[in-house]
């Protein structure tokens, strides 16, 4: 069972990192994963948004739920001044 206290703590930790550079690792199933660097753009009551830019000047925004972080389907590493400060 998912504990609401843990979800609230994850949400609060992520809200404190808005605007920071993050490295996101998302499991796509069948031993496939997606690793990208972007900026934590915004948080909402049940999701957060990460903005990725690629070499072709395209911007892509991807949203994930806090439950994804809790179940380890998504891992966030937050960087500040090129130093790792937090792992979610």
């Amino acid at each position: 069972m998912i504990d609401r206290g843990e979800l609230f703590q994850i949400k609060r930790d992520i809200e404190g990192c808005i605007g920071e550079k993050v490295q996101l690792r998302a499991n796509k199933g069948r031993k496939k994963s997606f690793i990208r660097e972007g900026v934590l753009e915004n948080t909402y009551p049940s999701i957060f948004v990460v903005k990725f830019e690629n070499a072709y000047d395209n911007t892509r925004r991807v949203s994930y739920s806090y439950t994804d972080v809790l179940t380890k389907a998504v891992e966030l590493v937050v960087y500040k001044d090129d130093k790792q400060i937090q792992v979610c």
Side-chain angles (χ1 to χ4, degrees), residues 8-79:
F8 182 72
Q9 181 65 38
I10 291 170
K11 180 181 177 191
R12 191 170 35 177
D13 290 346
I14 291 175
E15 281 178 345
C17 300
I18 292 176
E20 299 291 338
K21 180 179 171 184
V22 296
Q23 181 183 32
L24 185 127
R25 180 177 178 266
N27 294 328
K28 294 175 70 175
R30 293 207 167 230
K31 299 182 182 178
K32 296 178 188 174
S33 63
F34 168 80
I35 300 173
R36 292 281 169 101
E37 290 187 0
V39 176
L40 184 61
E41 189 172 65
N42 210 342
T43 60
Y44 296 97
S46 57
I47 62 169
F48 61 95
V49 179
V50 179
K51 179 174 73 170
F52 301 113
E53 292 184 10
N54 63 13
Y56 302 108
D57 293 329
N58 291 336
T59 301
R60 182 176 177 200
R61 288 176 177 83
V62 182
S63 63
Y64 296 97
S65 71
Y66 302 111
T67 308
D68 292 336
V69 176
L70 181 67
T71 60
K72 307 262 190 246
V74 172
E75 296 175 8
L76 281 177
V77 178
V78 181
Y79 291 93

